[in-house]
Amino acid sequence: MHKIFLQPAPSSDALEFILKAAAELEIERDPELFLNKVLEYSRTIVGATAGSLYLIDGDELDFLACQNDELDITQFITLDAK
């Protein structure tokens, strides 16, 4: 039997933040800025101090980006290099 975990409904402030983030992501055309914003908004939503993005390419897992506030790190690969 699977357990279902119900989450409380997000506050109107959280929903407003998500809608604004989605609108900004929709118009971002620079791939590196897009990844930076995805990480920043995602970390803000879940309250994380760090995060990473990876791309599944067939059987490979390719690193795309990371941010870590505690270590003051922001790193991206150059997307054109792939």
Side-chain angles (χ1 to χ4, degrees):
M1 173 179 250
H2 296 284
K3 291 184 180 181
I4 298 174
F5 297 96
L6 298 177
Q7 298 294 325
S11 69
S12 61
D13 289 342
L15 290 174
E16 185 176 328
F17 176 81
I18 291 168
L19 291 173
K20 285 181 180 181
E24 280 196 40
L25 290 172
E26 183 177 14
I27 61 173
E28 183 57 64
R29 298 295 176 235
D30 181 290
E32 289 181 18
L33 287 176
F34 178 83
L35 292 177
N36 186 43
K37 288 180 180 183
V38 166
L39 269 176
E40 188 69 32
Y41 296 146
S42 301
R43 292 187 317 112
T44 299
I45 291 167
V46 300
T49 60
S52 300
L53 291 176
Y54 296 87
L55 175 68
I56 298 173
D57 185 11
D59 291 338
E60 295 182 15
L61 185 63
D62 297 327
F63 170 79
L64 291 181
C66 74
Q67 293 176 347
N68 188 315
D69 292 344
E70 293 183 21
L71 300 177
D72 196 25
I73 295 172
T74 297
Q75 181 179 4
F76 299 94
I77 65 150
T78 302
L79 296 177
D80 295 335
K82 289 220 47 117

